[in-house]
Amino acid sequence: QSVVDMAVKMGSTDAGMQSLGNLNNVVSLRVTDTQSQEYVAAKMLDTVVRSVSAGQSTRIDSDNPLLYASTISESMKEETVPLVAPTMLNCLPDLEFFANISAGRVEKCRIPILVDDKEVAVA
């Protein structure tokens, strides 16, 4: 269900958001409307992404080539980003979903396709 569906069913946007706020677990397959994408993504926690950059340089004096200097540098940057971006929810493949289960644990899962043993050809 989308956020708008809940608002229509409950009679107002506030009542719809109140009922969604009482949910302990959120399971979301592919979501196409922006408001629902933002609601589901807001339920997921943020994460820290670290990136490392390295550099080196060498300098030689043209008047005295025996005098040279070199520099090696390395830096790490941390950035807090959403674990699940709202636009990611529109790109989920068939039968895959994100679930926010009890106490903020986020899982990305896939529903298996079950096949009857009688239909499987023996090679």
Side-chain angles (χ1 to χ4, degrees):
Q1 298 293 314
S2 69
V3 172
V4 176
D5 292 336
M6 291 299 290
V8 168
K9 186 70 174 175
M10 300 302 288
S12 72
T13 303
D14 291 337
M17 292 306 290
Q18 180 184 12
S19 64
L20 287 171
N22 289 326
L23 299 175
N24 291 326
N25 300 320
V26 175
V27 177
S28 175
L29 285 97
R30 188 179 306 126
V31 178
T32 56
D33 74 288
T34 307
Q35 187 177 8
S36 297
Q37 288 174 353
E38 290 172 0
Y39 172 78
V40 172
K43 289 287 195 181
M44 310 293 176
L45 300 175
D46 288 344
T47 189
V48 174
V49 175
R50 293 180 182 96
S51 60
V52 177
S53 62
Q56 63 184 25
S57 66
T58 307
R59 184 175 48 90
I60 299 175
D61 188 2
S62 60
D63 293 334
N64 189 354
L66 296 176
L67 294 176
Y68 67 93
S70 64
T71 305
I72 297 174
S73 65
E74 185 176 83
S75 65
M76 183 175 68
K77 181 176 78 168
E78 290 185 351
E79 183 180 7
T80 302
V81 297
L83 184 61
V84 178
T87 53
M88 257 176 117
L89 296 168
N90 191 28
C91 303
L92 284 172
D94 291 340
L95 301 176
E96 293 189 14
F97 63 93
F98 283 103
N100 187 350
I101 305 166
S102 68
R105 193 176 90 223
V106 177
E107 300 281 338
K108 182 173 184 296
C109 305
R110 183 178 53 168
I111 301 170
I113 299 174
L114 302 177
V115 179
D116 188 8
D117 287 340
K118 297 174 187 172
E119 296 177 11
V120 177
V122 178

